[in-house]
Amino acid sequence: MKTSRYPFYFISIGLIALLLSLLCGLISGFQYIIPDFIKEILPFNAVRPLHTLFAVSWVILTATGGIYYYLEQKNQNHRLISIHFWLFIATGVGISISYLLRNFEGKEYLEFPSYFYFPIILGWILFGINYFKSLFSSFKNWPVYYWMWATGIVLMIYHFTEAHLWLLSYFRDHFVQNVAMQWKAGGSYVGSWNMLVYGTSIYVMAKTSGNDSYAKSGKAFFFYFLGLTNLMFGWAHHIYIVPTAPWLRYLAYGISMTEWIILFSIIYDWKKSLSQEKKIEYILAYRFTILADFWIFLNIILALLISIPSINLFTHGTHITVAHSMGTTIGINTLILLSSIAYILELNKSISLNSTKKIQTGIKIFNISFVFFWVCLLLMGVKKAHWIYFTEAISFGQFHESMHWFYILFVSFGLGIVIGLFYIIFELLKSIKKVL
Ligand code: HEM
């Protein structure tokens, strides 16, 4: 069977996108401290969307590359995969140039000119065609990760389209409806890529343990159905301030919390049952997954708190929300994807002992810095909420000045994350080169 290099191309560009995201994150952090820092070339309003664009690209490209790799034995259409890859690369470059030229449109996370919708959706459709053609014959016996990936692809196409409905005047002209729909679409396409990422995590756990029963268990399917319901309703906790039906908010809140609790417990069961030999054979994949479990736990606590409407009122629009979104994209998505890359490379025996040691050092630097970074974001959020709601007669300028030391700490811990991840990324890229 002919194996394709494209899964590794997706993963390598994903890792490079992560590097770029880290650089842009660091620059935007510096701009908290020195607002004029390279403002002429890269102002905060351009560097922040670049940071999130590269972060989202990292998640999507790496998850996609992993899925293509995991389906290598399934008679895939390599031509479609290569077109998908080049379409995404060309679109990513185009969007980055638009941001650098400050040519913005759309809403948060999708600030690019709307014509980029077409190549992006085409890429997802090609992904879907290849996926279903490769797996359709075994449809009746699909383990849960195949269902999760299939659902992620189909619903991404649907919700990404929904996120662009505002282009039609019927939707644009109804303000409340439009705001609710924008958030719904946003929450749901994040749910769709989470399907790809969580499916990947279950795949890695099943394969490292050599036991596919995980992926066919009742608990795994319960997790899938909760994820699906969350994808459909979980957006409601984003729009507490929009007048929608209360039952929807409570349902959304309940479901999103239970989903994480189940994932936490699946990883916990896997950890308990994994033999010592497997833990050593897949040491890096194991370490990353265990760390992801720790971050799921911390994020459950934070999400439980900020989803309580009376607390959400104060935290909305502060760095506590950023702690939630960075806490989940770094702590859960990034760690799961790193574990997927490590698994692929450990399976191919292409990570040297030296690289494994360096990556382990990187993991330590990363995790310690990330804990402090996250706590710092929470404290910055508390300070801001206090300033907005409980302090009178302090101007924004004065408040900003009073935050100076927090900003310095935030950037210093951010630098720690960058150093730790740089170690990991370079060693992974070096090991990928050996496979190609
Ligand atoms: C894996 C690495 C990272 C990922 C996946 C990531 C992801 C994100 C996401 C999703 C947001 C949007 C938050 C929101 O809208 O609520 C964000 C914002 C931000 N990130 Fe990161 N981030 C990463 C690393 C970093 C690092 C190392 C820094 C360095 C200081 C940083 C600095 C920032 C800043 C300053 C913002 C803007 C916050 C604001 O709006 O004021 N990020 N990041």
Side-chain angles (χ1 to χ4, degrees):
M1 171 113 9
K2 196 174 138 219
T3 54
S4 162
R5 293 175 166 203
Y6 277 93
F8 289 103
Y9 291 166
F10 269 99
I11 293 173
S12 306
I13 300 296
L15 284 166
I16 291 168
L18 178 59
L19 276 180
L20 293 173
S21 172
L22 288 168
L23 278 179
C24 292
L26 212 53
I27 295 174
S28 41
F30 272 125
Q31 288 176 340
Y32 281 174
I33 307 175
I34 310 164
D36 289 340
F37 179 69
I38 61 166
K39 192 175 150 192
E40 301 302 318
I41 321 164
L42 265 180
F44 187 78
N45 70 351
V47 83
R48 188 190 195 278
L50 277 170
H51 174 55
T52 50
L53 166 75
F54 291 130
V56 172
S57 306
W58 142 247
V59 172
I60 288 179
L61 291 172
T62 314
T64 305
I67 295 170
Y68 279 137
Y69 179 82
Y70 297 136
L71 299 185
E72 264 302 288
Q73 308 303 319
K74 302 282 178 195
N75 201 13
Q76 300 192 87
N77 183 329
H78 291 132
R79 177 129 190 82
L80 286 189
I81 302 180
S82 69
I83 301 174
H84 180 189
F85 176 77
W86 291 112
L87 257 178
F88 271 21
I89 296 299
T91 315
V93 172
I95 295 178
S96 310
I97 295 173
S98 298
Y99 286 174
L100 288 171
L101 299 176
R102 274 150 262 167
N103 180 12
F104 298 116
E105 254 182 53
K107 74 173 279 279
E108 202 188 5
Y109 298 125
L110 307 178
E111 294 101 333
F112 43 78
S114 37
Y115 46 78
F116 282 113
Y117 162 78
F118 296 100
I120 296 177
I121 210 71
L122 182 60
W124 281 99
I125 291 173
L126 295 180
F127 190 14
I129 293 175
N130 178 59
Y131 187 86
F132 288 103
K133 270 186 80 176
S134 316
L135 286 178
F136 193 69
S137 56
S138 60
F139 167 73
K140 280 192 184 143
N141 296 317
W142 277 8
V144 77
Y145 42 78
Y146 285 171
W147 281 105
M148 295 178 93
W149 293 337
T151 311
I153 297 169
V154 171
L155 292 186
M156 179 58 105
I157 295 171
Y158 175 75
H159 291 296
F160 189 68
T161 302
E162 187 180 45
H164 286 84
L165 285 181
W166 62 270
L167 291 167
L168 307 174
S169 62
Y170 174 80
F171 294 94
R172 203 174 38 231
D173 296 345
H174 295 88
F175 183 74
V176 171
Q177 197 187 46
N178 190 23
V179 171
M181 200 182 67
Q182 287 294 317
W183 278 106
K184 170 187 179 297
S188 298
Y189 66 67
V190 172
S192 306
W193 84 54
N194 277 341
M195 278 279 180
L196 303 185
V197 176
Y198 296 165
T200 299
S201 178
I202 300 213
Y203 181 92
V204 171
M205 284 189 274
K207 298 298 164 187
T208 46
S209 62
N211 180 359
D212 229 23
S213 64
Y214 270 105
K216 293 188 170 161
S217 67
K219 197 181 213 176
F221 273 94
F222 181 58
F223 172 60
Y224 164 66
F225 282 111
L226 268 180
L228 186 61
T229 326
N230 194 15
L231 195 160
M232 292 169 175
F233 295 104
W235 51 276
H237 72 258
H238 289 145
I239 51 159
Y240 279 144
I241 45 168
V242 179
T244 47
W247 67 267
L248 230 127
R249 301 168 190 190
Y250 298 129
L251 186 69
Y253 173 54
I255 292 165
S256 56
M257 293 312 120
T258 356
E259 188 195 5
W260 274 351
I261 291 167
I262 304 281
L263 180 59
F264 177 80
S265 119
I266 292 179
I267 299 182
Y268 181 79
D269 290 347
W270 166 79
K271 178 184 155 194
K272 269 200 323 203
S273 68
L274 202 64
S275 69
Q276 202 53 33
E277 297 88 76
K278 295 283 182 193
K279 283 182 190 164
I280 294 169
E281 191 179 347
Y282 297 109
I283 177 90
L284 293 176
Y286 174 75
R287 288 281 314 268
F288 282 123
T289 306
I290 294 302
L291 217 52
D293 209 30
F294 165 73
W295 280 99
I296 293 171
F297 176 70
L298 289 189
N299 278 296
I300 291 174
I301 298 175
L302 178 63
L304 274 171
L305 291 174
I306 64 171
S307 297
I308 297 168
S310 50
I311 296 184
N312 188 274
L313 183 70
F314 295 104
T315 61
H316 192 88
T318 73
H319 280 100
I320 295 178
T321 311
V322 183
H324 167 62
S325 37
M326 276 213 252
T328 47
T329 44
I330 307 179
I332 307 178
N333 288 3
T334 296
L335 287 171
I336 287 179
L337 292 170
L338 287 173
S339 98
S340 164
I341 304 176
Y343 165 69
I344 294 173
L345 295 172
E346 287 176 323
L347 190 68
N348 281 282
K349 309 252 177 283
S350 64
I351 302 196
S352 66
L353 196 63
N354 194 21
S355 292
T356 305
K357 279 191 189 146
K358 284 192 184 155
I359 292 176
Q360 283 180 321
T361 311
I363 294 177
K364 277 189 201 133
I365 302 174
F366 158 78
N367 200 45
I368 294 169
S369 313
F370 187 30
V371 170
F372 286 111
F373 180 85
W374 191 72
V375 171
C376 194
L377 276 172
L378 292 178
L379 293 176
M380 281 159 67
V382 171
K383 287 264 299 177
K384 184 158 180 198
H386 186 260
W387 170 64
I388 295 175
Y389 294 99
F390 302 104
T391 323
E392 280 162 26
I394 293 189
S395 68
F396 178 74
Q398 285 167 315
F399 166 71
H400 196 67
E401 256 172 44
S402 75
M403 294 291 285
H404 188 71
W405 282 104
F406 274 104
Y407 295 152
I408 291 182
L409 285 178
F410 170 73
V411 174
S412 311
F413 298 134
L415 191 62
I417 296 183
V418 173
I419 295 170
L421 284 179
F422 268 33
Y423 253 92
I424 299 170
I425 295 168
F426 279 121
E427 292 307 319
L428 290 178
L429 282 172
K430 246 169 59 186
S431 312
I432 290 178
K433 217 171 137 222
K434 285 194 214 157
V435 188
L436 288 176

